[in-house]
Amino acid sequence: MIVDLPDTTTSGISKSLVKLREEGGAVALGRVLTLIIASEEATAEEAIEAANEASREHPMRVIVLVTDAAEMDAEPRLDAEIRVGGDAGASEVIMLRPHGEVASDEQSLVMGLLLPDAPVVVWWPGSAPDVPGSSPLGRIAQRRITDASARAADPQQALVSCARTYTPGDADFAWTRVTLWRAQLAAVLDQPPFENITRVEVSGSLDSPSTTLLAAWLHLALQAPTQYALTDDAHPQGIQGVRLFRGDDSIDLVRMSSGIATLTQPGQPPHEVALQRRSLRDCLADELRRLDPDELYGEVITAGLAGLDAPEPITTGALA
């Protein structure tokens, strides 16, 4: 069900929510958090769909604050929309479209709609504030989620900005997309022979900050010289391969397509492993599993990145 509330107030929205619960039996019991999505109109529906799917694992209230720079000079007005039932997954979605001066105070717009005594998470699906932790929405949130791959024309530079402005509680989907690679590499290194890794090579596409974060994590975890190459080859996109050296031998994990990688180890035949690119829903659900600061991400985005040399300037494909 979708209820339109043109030219309304936050008080009017709250009253409409109460009325919907009384008439339709929808309740807020069991909601574990409030997710605020600060989005532009072009990315709002995709973000709502991801939140609806993630809500089946994390029941929550979703507040979508849709801003449009062209509306800043319009007459002050707040239009809203409430989605419940089949249009909201296991959540309730409140979409806010402020116009004119109303849009200048984001914190006041959402404060009256937050679930009481529940954690607050803010997600910027596209462009994000220069310093998320100091932004009006960021100051009221326990977790702040950005996406370096989507927020800038230069994702690698966006990653540098994340490192420079990092505040405990920050997170970025570039790190979340590394999870499956980290799990696979950790499983490989948990098998004999238990010898030290002497060198690391990582390759990925130029628009993949996840490649840089994976290299930073490996450098930090293995304390081995680490090189990474960012290529202009778009097939496959994202992380393309990792090579771990042990003496004269190497362990190679190379993604050959969007969902399959080949693992090659000394003394074993090559075999395929599933390493699909993670969807927005997967990334969001993963980040919502923890509402305390991700200390490992903080260490990787700061100390790990600082310990890396510049990437290799090559223009060929993945690891040979």
Side-chain angles (χ1 to χ4, degrees):
M1 177 190 297
I2 299 178
V3 178
D4 288 319
L5 300 172
D7 197 6
T8 187
T9 63
T10 54
S11 176
I13 296 169
S14 296
K15 291 177 181 177
S16 296
L17 281 170
V18 172
K19 184 178 180 181
L20 281 172
R21 294 191 199 107
E22 291 176 347
E23 293 179 351
V27 297
L29 297 178
R31 303 284 191 255
V32 297
L33 60 94
T34 300
L35 173 66
I36 301 173
I37 303 175
S39 172
E40 299 171 351
E41 189 71 53
T43 57
E45 289 300 332
E46 183 181 18
I48 291 172
E49 183 179 354
N52 287 347
E53 294 180 8
S55 72
R56 304 184 190 284
E57 183 177 343
H58 309 281
M60 55 189 165
R61 172 173 291 178
V62 180
I63 302 173
V64 186
L65 184 58
V66 181
T67 56
D68 187 345
E71 295 289 337
M72 295 301 291
D73 297 328
E75 287 294 320
R77 188 178 82 252
L78 175 62
D79 295 333
E81 184 180 287
I82 300 175
R83 303 183 185 184
V84 294
D87 294 293
S91 63
E92 51 193 9
V93 178
I94 305 168
M95 182 175 286
L96 306 177
R97 288 189 174 91
H99 306 271
E101 293 181 4
V102 177
S104 63
D105 193 350
E106 296 178 329
Q107 191 174 117
S108 294
L109 283 171
V110 303
M111 285 297 291
L113 300 172
L114 302 179
L115 290 174
D117 303 321
V120 178
V121 179
V122 179
W123 172 30
W124 291 273
S127 59
D130 292 336
V131 185
S134 299
S135 66
L137 294 179
R139 287 195 295 268
I140 63 174
Q142 282 73 39
R143 296 294 306 278
R144 297 165 295 276
I145 304 171
T146 57
D147 192 346
S149 297
R151 62 188 279 198
D154 186 347
Q156 298 297 329
Q157 188 57 43
L159 198 61
V160 174
S161 177
C162 287
R164 185 177 63 251
T165 63
Y166 173 75
T167 304
D170 288 357
D172 194 277
F173 281 166
W175 173 244
T176 319
R177 295 186 181 100
V178 177
T179 300
L180 298 181
W181 285 82
R182 290 171 51 211
Q184 185 62 52
L185 291 169
V188 170
L189 294 178
D190 202 31
Q191 303 172 13
F194 303 106
E195 299 174 0
N196 290 334
I197 299 298
T198 57
R199 187 158 57 91
V200 177
E201 292 180 358
V202 182
S203 82
S205 58
L206 192 60
D207 62 351
S208 171
S210 297
T211 300
T212 307
L213 285 178
L214 179 59
W217 173 70
L218 287 168
H219 177 69
L220 202 63
L222 300 176
Q223 295 295 303
T226 302
Q227 295 179 317
Y228 69 108
L230 302 176
T231 78
D232 60 5
D233 184 357
H235 302 287
Q237 291 180 319
I239 303 168
Q240 295 171 348
V242 175
R243 175 173 289 169
L244 307 177
F245 290 89
R246 276 176 170 160
D248 296 330
D249 296 322
S250 68
I251 299 169
D252 291 3
L253 182 62
V254 180
R255 185 156 59 185
M256 308 305 297
S257 66
S258 60
I260 301 296
T262 299
L263 175 63
T264 305
Q265 304 179 73
Q268 298 185 30
H271 63 276
E272 295 182 343
V273 296
L275 273 179
Q276 66 273 16
R277 299 198 71 187
R278 308 191 78 188
S279 65
L280 272 182
R281 181 268 175 209
D282 292 336
C283 290
L284 181 59
D286 199 350
E287 285 299 335
L288 294 180
R289 290 188 183 110
R290 60 179 306 155
L291 297 174
D292 59 323
D294 187 339
E295 295 179 358
L296 179 57
Y297 168 72
E299 191 175 0
V300 170
I301 196 72
T302 53
L305 280 184
L308 285 180
D309 294 328
E312 294 288 333
I314 65 174
T315 57
T316 56
L319 296 172

